[in-house]
Amino acid sequence: MQQQGKGSVGFIGLGTMGREMAANLLKAGHPVRVFDVVPGATAAAVAAGAVAASNPADAASGCDVAISMLPDTPQVEEVIYGEGGLLNAPPAGKLIVDMSTISPVAVRRMHGDLAKAGVAFIDAPVSGGPVGAKNAALSIMAGGDAEAFARAEPYFKAMGTTISHVGASGAGQTVKLCNQLICGINLQAICEALALGRASGVDLEQLRHVLLGGSAASWMLDKLGPQMIAGETGAGFRIDLMFKDLRLVQEHAQALNVPLPGTALVTSQYVEARAHGEGANGNQALFRVYDRMSNQTSNQTSGEG
């Protein structure tokens, strides 16, 4: 039910993350118009109380803010510049927020083009995965003008718990890429520790328990470690999406002449995983790269790639 004074939202992109984020906006009392290229995703959101739209511009029509949550830079560019896009038919509130993980360079270009049309643009990628999206507990890192961030913040509060304005346009994406860099290298380190422990005959559940009690503890070890040990590959955050994020990290770093050898190494493991059909599996399936390299076999209980 809409609450007095709650701004209206045009929400574009109802994938694993977006559908939960849109649902939390609805729960917080915001009226939401939705668009997704997958009709079933739109239908599910409508069943939860949203209104269906025929394209991005229709989703944004009459709304205070348009929010997009999409796979990669080309999809966001299509939503902004394409036929039925937001550049020529922005929301009534002249505020667009993109919460995807995309190129900081593209973000700054879109920010400039939209500013010429009198539309504010915030890049606000998120961390926390599907669980954080479902529980409205995302970490949101936003780049853009302070005034536009202040207007967007009430919507962020419906979707996240850690909300930070980190700088000018593109800064949100840069912070998110730094986050993904750390996550990828941390996940690789866990894979290597489990591979070494397994080869040495150590009980992996006990190894994980001990590591969580010391300085090696991490979110990845806590949340994905059990799935890695059990060989469960079902998707939460997919290999394909993490590979895309690491590609963006390296593109950004190369443009700035910043060497990232650790990121290059873990990216090569994601290339191997995708070459073996693991792209649709969850991030924890990176451990199966080590199964293949060491001629070992994890328990494989779900999500075969």
Side-chain angles (χ1 to χ4, degrees):
M1 180 179 293
Q2 181 180 355
Q3 298 176 17
Q4 183 110 13
K6 292 283 187 177
S8 56
V9 181
F11 202 99
I12 302 154
L14 300 168
T16 302
M17 300 287 288
R19 68 191 182 210
E20 303 293 354
M21 295 159 71
N24 285 324
L25 286 162
L26 284 165
K27 290 173 187 175
H30 297 279
V32 180
R33 293 174 61 85
V34 296
F35 172 75
D36 193 275
V37 294
V38 178
T42 301
V46 169
V51 175
S54 59
N55 57 40
D58 185 33
S61 177
C63 290
D64 295 295
V65 60
I67 298 175
S68 55
M69 185 63 177
L70 297 161
D72 202 349
T73 306
Q75 288 80 28
V76 179
E77 291 176 328
E78 179 65 21
V79 162
I80 299 297
Y81 298 109
E83 184 177 352
L86 299 179
L87 181 59
N88 295 317
K94 303 291 185 181
L95 175 62
I96 297 173
V97 176
D98 178 57
M99 304 187 77
S100 321
T101 300
I102 64 172
S103 162
V105 174
V107 161
R108 289 191 287 271
R109 183 177 66 252
M110 286 184 274
H111 176 271
D113 291 341
L114 287 163
K116 292 175 186 175
V119 180
F121 184 71
I122 292 287
D123 58 297
V126 303
S127 181
V131 173
K134 184 177 182 62
N135 295 332
L138 292 169
S139 174
I140 300 171
M141 48 215 86
D145 301 334
E147 184 273 336
F149 171 78
R151 291 169 56 201
E153 193 170 16
Y155 305 98
F156 294 153
K157 288 180 177 178
M159 298 178 281
T161 52
T162 303
I163 301 162
S164 305
H165 183 213
V166 297
S169 179
Q173 294 297 343
T174 298
V175 172
K176 175 61 185 291
L177 295 183
C178 290
N179 180 88
Q180 297 304 83
L181 178 161
I182 293 170
C183 287
I185 293 175
N186 180 225
L187 190 59
Q188 183 182 26
I190 294 166
C191 289
E192 297 195 358
L194 293 178
L196 180 60
R198 179 174 61 187
S200 303
V202 173
D203 180 85
L204 296 188
E205 288 288 1
Q206 187 174 41
L207 173 62
R208 173 180 165 273
H209 175 75
V210 171
L211 295 178
L212 283 173
S215 58
S218 70
W219 187 97
M220 288 287 187
L221 181 61
D222 181 29
K223 304 300 184 185
L224 297 187
Q227 298 172 44
M228 294 165 74
I229 292 167
E232 295 176 358
T233 58
F237 190 76
R238 292 182 283 117
I239 289 281
D240 276 343
L241 288 176
M242 189 64 169
F243 174 74
K244 179 265 297 185
D245 290 353
L246 291 172
R247 171 179 56 77
L248 290 171
V249 170
Q250 294 204 89
E251 288 175 356
H252 193 48
Q254 288 164 8
L256 297 171
N257 200 31
V258 176
L260 300 178
T263 303
L265 181 58
V266 70
T267 302
S268 72
Q269 307 294 4
Y270 277 87
V271 170
E272 197 274 2
R274 296 175 79 240
H276 283 84
E278 307 273 12
N281 290 336
N283 242 336
Q284 71 277 5
L286 192 69
F287 190 40
R288 285 154 60 98
V289 174
Y290 289 82
D291 291 345
R292 290 185 285 271
M293 290 195 300
S294 57
N295 198 29
Q296 297 285 330
T297 304
S298 297
N299 296 320
Q300 296 174 5
T301 58
S302 66
E304 288 289 323

